[in-house]
């Protein structure tokens, strides 16, 4: 073959390969788009069903709360959370009170007092204990204290008698309040083991 023929042959080959790659790309993108569109559309449908279910839970359980209250079966100390079980004993619905912890400006002073005490005393003799206790009053990325961790620290109130420690924990407790975010709902069915199991409506829990 002459050099011109070789060049023509290679040009045709490259053109054919490019056409094949374009064909593969088109097929891949079509299949990809079909998958995305199918899953997202199903997700949108599921989202609408879940929103409708939540509204039904809110309305139905509020009616049940009023009925329980009128019937005299709502606990006097109830803040809105309760469970109801069907007569067969295999289905249960729970309305859970969801609260959000809040800490006011006194918590900042409380942190300072606790840190001063721990730095002057505990840190010198037990660095690991110091770091552990300090971790209980560290703020998260949002600048908030973690309720569960602060409560662990408060449980150890009697471990020390230093005025800074006691005053810091007192201020920490006084600075705390909880605010109602809303109600959460759990729908349950009794499993083969005889225990109620939550019907998972959270995608990641399935």
């Amino acid at each position: 073959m002459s050099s011109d023929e070789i060049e023509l042959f290679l040009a045709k080959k490259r053109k054919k390969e490019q056409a094949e790659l374009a064909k593969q790309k088109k097929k891949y993108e079509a299949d990809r788009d079909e998958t995305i569109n199918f899953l997202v559309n199903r997700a949108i449908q599921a989202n609408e069903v879940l929103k409708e279910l939540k509204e039904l839970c809110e309305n139905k359980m509020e009616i049940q709360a009023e009925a329980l209250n009128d019937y005299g079966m709502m606990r006097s100390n109830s803040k809105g959370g309760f469970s109801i079980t069907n007569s067969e004993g295999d289905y249960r619905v729970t309305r859970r009170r969801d609260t959000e912890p809040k800490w006011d400006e006194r918590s900042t002073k409380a942190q300072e007092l606790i840190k001063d005490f721990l730095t002057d005393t505990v840190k010198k003799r037990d660095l690991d204990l110091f770091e552990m206790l300090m971790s209980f009053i560290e703020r998260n990325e949002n600048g908030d204290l973690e309720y569960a961790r602060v409560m662990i620290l408060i449980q150890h109130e009697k471990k020390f008698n230093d005025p800074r420690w006691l005053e810091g924990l007192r201020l920490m407790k006084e600075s705390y309040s909880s605010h109602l975010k809303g109600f959460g709902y759990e729908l349950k069915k009794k499993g083969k083991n005889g225990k109620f199991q939550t019907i998972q409506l959270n995608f990641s829990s399935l």
Side-chain angles (χ1 to χ4, degrees):
M1 297 177 68
S2 66
S3 59
D4 289 342
E5 289 175 332
I6 293 174
E7 184 63 32
L8 180 61
F9 172 78
L10 292 175
K12 289 181 178 178
K13 184 179 180 182
R14 284 194 297 270
K15 186 176 180 180
K16 183 177 180 181
E17 290 174 347
Q18 289 173 352
E20 182 62 27
L21 286 173
K23 181 180 178 181
Q24 291 177 5
K25 178 184 177 183
K26 185 177 180 179
K27 182 179 185 307
Y28 165 77
E29 291 178 346
D31 291 344
R32 178 202 61 193
D33 290 349
E34 181 182 0
T35 297
I36 293 171
N37 294 338
F38 174 79
L39 292 176
V40 172
N41 282 322
R42 290 296 294 270
I44 291 171
Q45 294 171 18
N47 178 260
E48 291 299 320
V49 171
L50 284 176
K51 286 198 295 186
E52 181 181 357
L53 177 59
K54 183 181 179 182
E55 290 177 3
L56 287 171
C57 284
E58 290 173 346
N59 295 334
K60 293 285 187 180
M61 292 299 278
E62 183 59 29
I63 292 172
Q64 286 299 312
E66 293 174 2
L68 275 172
N69 190 50
D70 292 341
Y71 198 45
M73 296 181 66
M74 181 74 82
R75 299 193 315 273
S76 59
N77 63 345
S78 173
K79 295 183 178 180
F82 65 96
S83 294
I84 52 176
T85 307
N86 68 345
S87 299
E88 289 76 12
D90 56 354
Y91 287 172
R92 175 173 292 171
V93 181
T94 298
R95 185 168 82 169
R96 184 186 66 251
R97 179 182 169 87
D98 289 342
T99 59
E100 181 179 19
K102 290 289 185 181
W103 311 86
D104 67 24
E105 70 284 351
R106 286 170 288 186
S107 66
T108 302
K109 180 62 177 178
Q111 282 180 291
E112 294 174 359
L113 289 168
I114 293 170
K115 183 178 180 180
D116 284 347
F117 162 67
L118 294 176
T119 301
D120 289 346
T121 56
V122 179
K123 186 177 182 180
K124 296 177 181 178
R125 67 173 188 266
D126 193 334
L127 182 59
D128 289 339
L129 178 60
F130 168 79
E131 291 178 348
M132 181 186 72
L133 293 174
M134 284 297 299
S135 71
F136 295 141
I137 54 173
E138 288 180 354
R139 296 182 182 270
N140 59 27
E141 294 179 354
N142 297 323
D144 298 321
L145 293 165
E146 299 287 347
Y147 174 79
R149 299 178 70 81
V150 173
M151 289 303 108
I152 292 174
L153 187 70
I154 290 175
Q155 289 173 8
H156 296 285
E157 182 175 5
K158 296 182 179 179
K159 293 288 178 66
F160 307 105
N161 292 318
D162 189 282
R164 292 169 296 178
W165 170 258
L166 297 175
E167 179 67 4
L169 292 182
R170 184 186 72 80
L171 287 173
M172 190 66 77
K173 286 185 284 187
E174 287 186 0
S175 72
Y176 170 76
S177 63
S178 63
H179 301 269
L180 179 65
K181 291 170 57 179
F183 292 108
Y185 302 92
E186 296 177 357
L187 290 82
K188 306 176 183 180
K189 63 179 180 180
K190 189 169 287 186
K192 295 181 180 179
N193 59 2
K195 297 181 179 179
F196 279 103
Q197 299 174 339
T198 301
I199 300 170
Q200 294 296 344
L201 301 174
N202 184 340
F203 193 74
S204 61
S205 299
L206 297 175

